[in-house]
Amino acid sequence: MYQKLSDAYRNVRNYSNYRSNSKIQILLISATAFVLFFTGYIFAYAIHSKSNNKNFNHMSNELSLNREFRNLLLSSINKENIKSHLKYLTSFAHLAGTDGGKKSAEYVHQVWKEQGLEDVQMIDYDVYLDIPDEKNLNKLDIVDQNGTKKTFEIKETIYDQDLNFINISKPFLAYSQNGSIMSNKLYYLNYCDYQDFELALSKNISLNDSVVICRYGWSFRANKALNAQKFGAKGLILFDDPLRSSPKQAQDEIYPNGQFMPENGTQRGTLYMHDGDPLTPNYPSNKYTYRLSEEKTILPKIVCQVIGFGLAKELFNLMDDQIPVPEFWKGEMNVSYSLGGILKRKKSIILTVYSEKKIKKIHNVIGVLRGEIEPDRYVMVGNHRDSWTFGSIDPSSATSVLLETSRSLSQLKKNSMWRPKRTVLFLSWDAEEYGLIGSTEWVEEFFKKLTVNGIVYINCDNAVQGNYSYEAKASPQLHQLLFQVTKNIQYDQKISIYDRWLENNPNENSTEPKISSNMGSGSDHAVFLQKLGVPCIDQKFVRNKRDEKFKNIFGYPLYHTSYETYKLVENYMDPEFFGLTSITKVISETTRVMSDSLIIPFDLENYYQNIKNQLRIFNKEFGLRLNKLNISLNNLEESIENLGKHINEFNQRLKNIDQSNLYLVRQYNEQIKNFERSFLDVYYLETGSTHTLYAPSSLNKYVGNSFPGVVESIVRLEQAKMFSQDFVEDIKINLSILINSIQSASHILKDPTDFSRF
């Protein structure tokens, strides 16, 4: 349609030099162009809207349209396809930067080509990765006073003899320093959080030249490494305490007989705190890009290694047990949990790490369903593809879901009159495990294009951590959309997915399912929200919250181990592939609605209510402290109320627009799209996040802070050894930036020619 229209305009220009009677031809061509445009618009509009009523509720009415398309879509989703993809992807290791990583990219590329997606391509980047030395196992030596060594090579027992373990990465922590360190001091620091170190130092100990051991949980592993380094340790050992990986009540369900951790199971992972290639911050890792030297990065400067809790027991039995630890520091190992110090019997430990940091090629894959009406507006659906090992849960469960989602939507387009109004981008990322590298590099390369055109990013990383209930984190304006979508998909013959979600994880009033708006980091959604201001969803199927065996477990016990096999999913995590099939339906239908709705289905009123609630929580935690510093929140409260007023006025105008006016619809959609962008402030936080309302915490990257700039300023003040007025001024600066961003959001929603001040 658009090509024919532009051809007509070119013809008009060409004919302008002809004789005067050519004016008739020009009129005919122009009339033809108009008819083509009008006919095309009416045809597309008929598909995307069945109502000509000028007054409409864009959330409820739009979601109820095209019921037949929804039914066709949901009925086409086939669990056998999901199983087939998962079985193949878990048949080999696919660590980023390896042959297996490229093989998985080629598979996705081939599948999307066969499904008929448009513009399918691999986009490569040369990035800085840390690859373990597969010939030399990382190891820990216990040395007695005579120099006699007892060596423990860090490896996992192989239970699945039918699988190819040749290229499985050995247990390691990416971006650790290489080499060997020796110490006769070993301290146990609980989770290695900041407050754990403060408590330990209150016992009048010194961590200089020591090795620190701490358990997984509570915070991101990179935070643990940076804390150990900051407080003087020269080495860090991480382990998963059986309390959260192999609890007493699950001893009959240890892998390979269940989904719980054997004693030498090890959680691999990255120690990089930021996102993207460490050598090219803020810019894509292309051939022309300037690269930093490693010395100028923020990678850890100490030796770090992960071990199983079986070896951790050996170390705890060597530790000095004179200084007890609080009860909440204790796990379920049959040892004396103590702070430690000089090792017993004059022993020492040597920790040795073999790996090589080098530039390696990674491969993103992209496939397109082009939008009929607004091809320049993107509904983005993504998942990372790389894995530390076989990756049956993280991430191949979600890769399999992504491939079936793309197939179901592509098939709907082929077999019906359905056409997406907006373009759907299917995105398969590489090197997420190292620090969201693939997605970040792509966003950095296409930053300006995505800033202008991005509507939403729908993410799935671990598609199943159980098969009982759906669960999601999402930007506030997307909550109602998810509620509506899940209400329209049956869980079984009696209840919907929404009903089970509400029963399993209700909000504090039990009125709706609980959704966190504070999305934190830990997966690829972070770069879209934090750098682009694109609203995001991250989701999974989870277990029953009341299952006692999992009461201390966040995630799933075999996370990032070599036991993430197809068998784990098929036998234990999702035997009937019910969870995987169900979440495919949710993602597919969410994508269809986002690409189809005449008005972008964002609930801005819920955003306002969410900010009000975040202010209430913030005031409760920090209000008294700020009062003591003579810092008032009155202007912040006023800006939030002002935002609520302008959201209400915007919604009132939106209800009364003439939806047959294409330009007016586009105008309102632009305001809705740009709303989230209002909260960005360039280089707002040292972590690279630019969102002033929600950002990952510097103390724990997995979770988010509301009003992050202000919170981080308060944290710096509280952690400072000496008071300085500069810290107070920093709080005031960040508070003013926050208020300005909220006022900017109000401006976005006003009439386009209204520049009045508040």
Side-chain angles (χ1 to χ4, degrees):
M1 178 178 71
Y2 299 106
Q3 183 60 45
K4 291 179 180 178
L5 181 59
S6 61
D7 287 345
Y9 283 133
R10 281 198 293 273
N11 289 336
V12 169
R13 289 195 296 272
N14 292 337
Y15 274 111
S16 64
N17 297 323
Y18 275 50
R19 298 185 305 272
S20 60
N21 63 357
S22 66
K23 292 179 180 179
I24 298 172
Q25 294 171 300
I26 294 172
L27 289 172
L28 288 171
I29 292 166
S30 299
T32 301
F34 175 78
V35 170
L36 286 171
F37 176 83
F38 186 75
T39 303
Y41 171 73
I42 293 298
F43 174 74
Y45 183 76
I47 291 174
H48 295 290
S49 175
K50 293 186 176 180
S51 170
N52 290 319
N53 180 13
K54 293 182 180 181
N55 299 312
F56 71 105
N57 181 319
H58 72 276
M59 279 300 297
S60 60
N61 284 13
E62 285 290 328
L63 286 168
S64 67
L65 296 176
N66 301 322
R67 185 171 300 169
E68 63 272 28
F69 289 146
R70 181 179 73 225
N71 293 339
L72 281 171
L73 177 66
L74 299 182
S75 64
S76 74
I77 291 167
N78 188 335
K79 77 174 182 180
E80 295 304 321
N81 294 332
I82 300 170
K83 291 175 73 171
S84 176
H85 293 312
L86 185 61
K87 198 161 193 175
Y88 177 78
L89 289 166
T90 54
S91 66
F92 59 95
H94 39 286
L95 182 68
T98 66
D99 290 342
K102 185 177 182 182
K103 183 179 178 181
S104 69
E106 290 170 341
Y107 177 74
V108 171
H109 185 273
Q110 176 188 341
V111 169
W112 280 347
K113 280 280 192 181
E114 292 171 353
Q115 290 176 355
L117 298 189
E118 305 164 65
D119 301 317
V120 179
Q121 58 181 306
M122 281 206 286
I123 301 177
D124 300 340
Y125 296 99
D126 296 310
V127 302
Y128 196 56
L129 301 181
D130 188 16
I131 306 296
D133 185 339
E134 299 306 331
K135 294 180 180 178
N136 294 295
L137 289 167
N138 294 348
K139 62 182 181 178
L140 187 144
D141 296 305
I142 299 175
V143 187
D144 65 21
Q145 57 186 325
N146 299 317
T148 303
K149 291 182 181 179
K150 184 178 181 181
T151 299
F152 297 89
E153 291 185 325
I154 315 302
K155 58 184 179 181
E156 292 173 312
T157 302
I158 296 175
Y159 297 108
D160 302 284
Q161 301 295 334
D162 56 321
L163 293 177
N164 182 3
F165 278 80
I166 294 175
N167 295 316
I168 287 289
S169 67
K170 305 305 186 288
F172 82 118
L173 296 171
Y175 299 118
S176 164
Q177 279 293 304
N178 293 337
S180 295
I181 56 167
M182 183 174 183
S183 180
N184 65 345
K185 294 194 296 181
L186 180 64
Y187 288 98
Y188 170 55
L189 267 295
N190 194 26
Y191 294 116
C192 274
D193 290 336
Y194 191 89
Q195 60 268 30
D196 295 330
F197 282 92
E198 286 189 319
L199 191 151
L201 293 178
S202 71
K203 307 292 184 181
N204 296 318
I205 64 169
S206 171
L207 298 176
N208 291 336
D209 289 328
S210 70
V211 174
V212 166
I213 185 170
C214 68
R215 54 180 172 161
Y216 272 121
W218 195 254
S219 61
F220 182 46
R221 71 185 72 79
N223 290 96
K224 302 175 191 291
L226 290 180
N227 286 335
Q229 178 179 304
K230 178 178 180 179
F231 284 95
K234 63 181 180 181
L236 170 68
I237 298 171
L238 294 178
F239 74 101
D240 242 324
D241 195 283
L243 178 67
R244 59 163 251 144
S245 63
S246 186
K248 292 175 181 176
Q249 58 267 56
Q251 291 308 295
D252 293 336
E253 300 174 57
I254 306 301
Y255 194 86
N257 300 312
Q259 57 179 299
F260 293 91
M261 183 88 85
E263 68 174 11
N264 60 1
T266 52
Q267 181 197 130
R268 299 151 180 81
T270 187
L271 298 175
Y272 181 41
M273 267 295 293
H274 286 196
D275 300 329
D277 184 351
L279 303 187
T280 64
N282 300 315
Y283 296 95
S285 295
N286 289 325
K287 62 182 181 180
Y288 56 77
T289 307
Y290 177 80
R291 285 172 165 78
L292 302 175
S293 63
E294 184 180 335
E295 293 72 29
K296 293 182 179 179
T297 69
I298 60 164
L299 296 175
K301 311 300 182 193
I302 63 175
V303 174
C304 306
Q305 177 59 35
V306 60
I307 64 174
F309 63 79
L311 179 52
K313 291 178 189 176
E314 296 261 358
L315 295 177
F316 272 78
N317 287 328
L318 289 175
M319 291 168 61
D320 183 281
D321 55 8
Q322 297 302 305
I323 307 177
V325 297
E327 282 298 313
F328 62 87
W329 280 35
K330 296 177 181 179
E332 282 191 358
M333 294 191 298
N334 187 24
V335 298
S336 173
Y337 286 85
S338 59
L339 189 60
I342 302 294
L343 292 173
K344 296 176 182 176
R345 300 185 292 278
K346 298 182 179 180
K347 294 198 174 186
S348 299
I349 57 172
I350 301 174
L351 186 61
T352 304
V353 169
Y354 302 99
S355 63
E356 184 179 6
K357 300 181 184 71
K358 60 178 78 171
I359 302 290
K360 300 286 287 185
K361 193 173 292 294
I362 64 169
H363 315 277
N364 293 337
V365 189
I366 180 172
V368 178
L369 276 180
R370 184 179 175 85
E372 284 276 300
I373 307 301
E374 293 185 301
D376 61 337
R377 293 295 177 260
Y378 310 145
V379 174
M380 297 171 282
V381 191
N383 145 261
H384 80 89
R385 193 188 60 256
D386 65 297
S387 170
W388 297 115
T389 62
F390 298 114
S392 63
I393 303 297
D394 184 6
S396 298
S397 63
T399 305
S400 304
V401 165
L402 179 66
L403 294 176
E404 181 61 3
T405 297
S406 59
R407 186 204 63 78
S408 64
L409 286 163
S410 180
Q411 179 177 305
L412 183 65
K413 181 180 177 182
K414 291 175 187 175
N415 297 343
S416 72
M417 292 181 64
W418 178 79
R419 301 292 183 271
K421 179 178 186 288
R422 303 178 183 92
T423 291
V424 180
L425 300 181
F426 295 103
L427 304 160
S428 176
W429 309 119
D430 203 355
E432 184 268 359
E433 296 291 6
Y434 281 89
L436 316 187
I437 292 179
S439 57
T440 300
E441 299 311 304
W442 187 76
V443 165
E444 288 171 346
E445 179 165 16
F446 299 101
F447 178 80
K448 293 178 174 63
K449 188 172 186 175
L450 295 169
T451 298
V452 172
N453 298 331
I455 299 292
V456 68
Y457 177 70
I458 302 167
N459 191 63
C460 189
D461 191 324
N462 310 155
V464 286
Q465 294 181 359
N467 60 0
Y468 187 76
S469 174
Y470 177 77
E471 187 172 284
K473 299 184 292 184
S475 300
Q477 65 268 60
L478 290 162
H479 293 190
Q480 290 300 320
L481 171 67
L482 288 175
F483 294 158
Q484 291 289 341
V485 166
T486 53
K487 284 176 181 178
N488 287 329
I489 303 174
Q490 287 301 112
Y491 180 88
D492 57 26
Q493 292 183 346
K494 295 181 179 179
I495 62 173
S496 67
I497 287 178
Y498 174 89
D499 296 328
R500 175 49 56 86
W501 182 13
L502 175 60
E503 175 261 318
N504 193 52
N505 195 21
N507 64 12
E508 59 185 11
N509 301 318
S510 297
T511 55
E512 292 175 330
K514 183 178 180 180
I515 303 185
S516 173
S517 300
N518 228 329
M519 299 183 71
S521 185
S523 194
D524 296 293
H525 61 268
V527 63
F528 286 87
L529 182 61
Q530 297 301 325
K531 285 184 178 288
L532 296 174
V534 169
C536 295
I537 300 168
D538 189 35
Q539 59 216 303
K540 61 178 74 78
F541 247 68
V542 296
R543 67 185 71 89
N544 189 331
K545 297 284 185 185
R546 291 176 289 279
D547 191 330
E548 278 295 307
K549 287 178 289 191
F550 293 93
K551 65 180 180 180
N552 296 307
I553 298 174
F554 176 80
Y556 57 101
L558 297 176
Y559 177 62
H560 287 182
T561 70
S562 64
Y563 308 125
E564 279 204 43
T565 60
Y566 181 79
K567 170 183 174 179
L568 174 65
V569 178
E570 185 178 46
N571 291 358
Y572 308 120
M573 300 281 285
D574 192 19
E576 300 300 321
F577 280 68
F578 172 79
L580 285 170
T581 305
S582 297
I583 199 167
T584 304
K585 291 179 179 180
V586 174
I587 294 172
S588 299
E589 175 62 1
T590 303
T591 303
R592 188 194 68 79
V593 172
M594 282 301 312
S595 66
D596 261 1
S597 300
L598 184 67
I599 301 296
I600 296 172
F602 287 173
D603 181 4
L604 302 186
E605 172 63 25
N606 190 61
Y607 210 117
Y608 161 63
Q609 295 298 335
N610 197 275
I611 297 175
K612 278 182 63 177
N613 187 51
Q614 295 304 324
L615 175 62
R616 178 183 61 80
I617 296 169
F618 176 84
N619 212 350
K620 184 177 180 180
E621 186 169 356
F622 298 109
L624 289 177
R625 280 177 270 186
L626 293 177
N627 282 339
K628 291 179 181 178
L629 297 171
N630 293 318
I631 296 175
S632 170
L633 296 178
N634 289 342
N635 287 333
L636 176 60
E637 292 169 357
E638 184 180 337
S639 70
I640 293 172
E641 288 309 308
N642 189 49
L643 178 64
K645 172 187 170 217
H646 283 93
I647 286 174
N648 181 61
E649 291 174 355
F650 177 83
N651 285 337
Q652 290 301 315
R653 294 196 305 274
L654 182 59
K655 286 179 182 179
N656 296 307
I657 70 166
D658 179 358
Q659 61 181 305
S660 67
N661 185 333
L662 181 65
Y663 302 105
L664 192 59
V665 168
R666 177 83 169 194
Q667 173 200 306
Y668 274 82
N669 276 339
E670 287 296 285
Q671 290 177 280
I672 293 169
K673 171 180 71 71
N674 291 330
F675 178 77
E676 189 80 59
R677 271 75 156 177
S678 308
F679 301 114
L680 301 186
D681 190 83
V682 178
Y683 306 127
Y684 180 53
L685 296 173
E686 292 178 3
T687 57
S689 298
T690 63
H691 207 291
T692 59
L693 293 185
Y694 306 103
S697 167
S698 66
L699 299 179
N700 179 9
K701 191 179 177 183
Y702 281 146
V703 302
N705 281 332
S706 299
F707 312 152
V710 182
V711 171
E712 296 291 343
S713 298
I714 295 171
V715 169
R716 283 192 291 272
L717 171 62
E718 293 179 343
Q719 290 183 351
K721 294 181 179 179
M722 293 181 61
F723 176 82
S724 169
Q725 185 63 28
D726 289 343
F727 291 116
V728 179
E729 298 305 309
D730 191 41
I731 296 172
K732 292 179 179 178
I733 290 170
N734 280 287
L735 182 59
S736 70
I737 292 172
L738 171 62
I739 294 168
N740 183 67
S741 74
I742 296 172
Q743 298 283 57
S744 296
S746 292
H747 283 302
I748 284 289
L749 297 180
K750 290 160 60 178
D751 184 89
T753 60
D754 182 354
F755 288 90
S756 59
R757 301 174 72 187
F758 305 124

